Amino acid sequence: MYFKNRGAIERPSRSVVSKKWSLFLCLGSFCVGMFFTNRIWIISETKSGITRTTTVEAERLKLVSEGCITKFLQQQDIKLVSKDNFGILDKTISNLEIELAEAKAAHESILSGVPISEDIEKGESRRKRKYFMVVGINTAFSSRKRRDSVRATWMPQGEKRRKLEEEKGIIIRFVIGHSATLGGILDKAIEAEDKKHGDFLRLDHIEGYLELSAKTKTYFATAVNLWDAEYYIKVDDDVHTCYSKFKLDLFISVAATLAETLARHRTKPRIYIGCMKSGPVLSRKGVRYHEPEYWKFGDKYFRHATGQIYAISKDLATYISANQHVLHKYTNEDVSLGAWFIGLDVQHIDDRRLCCGTPPDCEWKAQAGNVCVASFDWTCSGICRSVDRMKEVHRNCGEGENALWKAAF
């Protein structure tokens, strides 16, 4: 059809038809492209082991509209966490709990108006670096000869102890409180001894045999605030700590075998290592280890580490520090420590190398390659006549000075 306009003849208009067909062609191409693209994507994901369906996508979109996408993603992401990752997450959570407990303990100290001791003030700078373990040797005012026998065998002195702290991150201290008469002759004797050797950790605690549970609690709370270590160990001053060789060399560094033992568990949270035992509850008065609160336990104690030597990880030491005012103290300190961990998600590790006998038992085991961590006599709850026999035990069951420096941990 032709139209006349001012005497001119125009060609037929085809632009309108071309635009319509172009629109239809574009829509058709888009639909075909989406079909093949979606098809290829599903096939490629199926081949690579990925399962993703449009149903899941629709469910996600629906959850977004309902404001529930966060919960859905959390549920889906949990399935992707492996067993190994659970351990890492558990350790991370444990570290966060430690930081929270430390902050809480510091806040409570400020509110209660407790003065900060000189050791704790020094500890602020110490905490800037990480240590591997803190070894606290439980001692008493009357145990000067025992301490000297330890110094002459397995506890390093002077420059060697400083080198041990700097290069291996191992702190060793005799742990003692103060007398009932603060500043009396007993306290002055310890101050003079500490001035000579510099190897004491003084506690805000009144010494007494029936106060061992309180002393243990105060030790862990004090140590964890002074030194940022992975492990905290308590050992009696009449126990010999063994090493990975059985040769004598005085002024030896502490427990290469113990260090290697602890290093195997350093990625695990809430570790409680010791020679686990469970014995009868002694209800009769007058006997050794009598338990006044026997009715709480029945006939037999729960499993716990023997009191001569044991180790706990930092998170447990921090737990004790943060809750020391509400943790109940039983007569026997090893029972008290075990009781504090009842109900917690704690890994009890029974290591029999922490309770070897004195020679010839520890000597035979060392020669056979099964080196002990600690040696003592069960009948004496320590080395019988330790002042006289410590060197003998060290000579037969100790190790060379280079053992710790060669140990991998």
Side-chain angles (χ1 to χ4, degrees), residues 164-408:
L164 183 67
E165 296 178 2
E166 294 298 324
E167 296 187 16
K168 288 295 183 178
I170 297 179
I171 306 293
I172 313 174
R173 296 288 188 274
F174 287 108
V175 180
I176 195 168
H178 57 81
S179 64
T181 306
L182 187 62
I185 187 172
L186 295 177
D187 293 313
K188 289 181 179 179
I190 293 296
E191 290 172 4
E193 189 178 345
D194 189 28
K195 186 176 181 179
K196 178 180 180 181
H197 298 283
D199 54 7
F200 279 92
L201 170 60
R202 302 300 301 274
L203 304 179
D204 183 14
H205 164 80
I206 300 177
E207 286 290 322
Y209 180 76
L210 297 179
E211 298 298 326
L212 287 179
S213 293
K215 183 176 182 179
T216 299
K217 183 165 58 174
T218 304
Y219 158 62
F220 284 123
T222 304
V224 79
N225 282 286
L226 283 175
W227 297 286
D228 184 8
E230 295 184 46
Y231 294 98
Y232 299 84
I233 295 93
K234 176 264 178 182
V235 59
D236 290 338
D237 60 6
D238 56 352
V239 172
H240 179 267
T241 304
C242 293
Y243 312 94
S244 58
K245 304 292 180 185
F246 43 93
K247 297 179 181 178
L248 174 64
D249 195 342
L250 296 183
F251 302 108
I252 308 179
S253 51
V254 65
T257 307
L258 174 59
E260 290 177 341
T261 299
L262 296 176
R264 289 198 295 268
H265 305 287
R266 68 195 316 170
T267 59
K268 304 174 184 176
R270 297 177 296 280
I271 296 297
Y272 175 32
I273 304 177
C275 217
M276 300 296 168
K277 66 175 184 177
S278 179
V281 179
L282 303 179
S283 58
R284 187 164 59 89
K285 293 183 179 180
V287 300
R288 191 180 185 185
Y289 306 127
H290 164 64
E291 180 54 70
E293 298 179 84
Y294 61 89
W295 55 274
K296 292 184 178 180
F297 301 99
D299 298 327
K300 197 174 183 180
Y301 284 118
F302 45 80
R303 299 286 286 181
H304 61 279
T306 186
Q308 286 82 358
I309 180 173
Y310 47 73
I312 62 174
S313 53
K314 178 187 176 182
D315 36 20
L316 293 182
T318 304
Y319 170 81
I320 293 174
S321 176
N323 298 279
Q324 57 182 310
H325 301 298
V326 296
L327 294 176
H328 185 70
K329 303 182 296 293
Y330 293 99
T331 300
N332 301 304
E333 52 100 3
D334 53 349
V335 173
S336 293
L337 185 71
W340 297 338
F341 299 151
I342 292 293
L344 301 183
D345 186 13
V346 174
Q347 299 186 57
H348 291 62
I349 298 177
D350 183 19
D351 195 329
R352 310 312 292 182
R353 293 179 300 169
L354 272 71
C355 54
C356 293
T358 55
D361 179 62
C362 58
E363 185 178 10
W364 291 341
K365 291 177 179 177
Q367 292 173 353
N370 187 21
V371 182
C372 298
V373 173
S375 299
F376 57 88
D377 298 307
W378 282 104
T379 54
C380 299
S381 296
I383 297 176
C384 298
R385 298 182 291 107
S386 64
V387 174
D388 300 324
R389 297 183 60 228
M390 185 66 76
K391 287 187 178 181
E392 172 200 344
V393 175
H394 186 69
R395 181 171 57 253
N396 292 282
C397 301
E399 61 187 348
E401 183 176 8
N402 294 327
L404 183 65
W405 308 107
K406 294 179 180 179

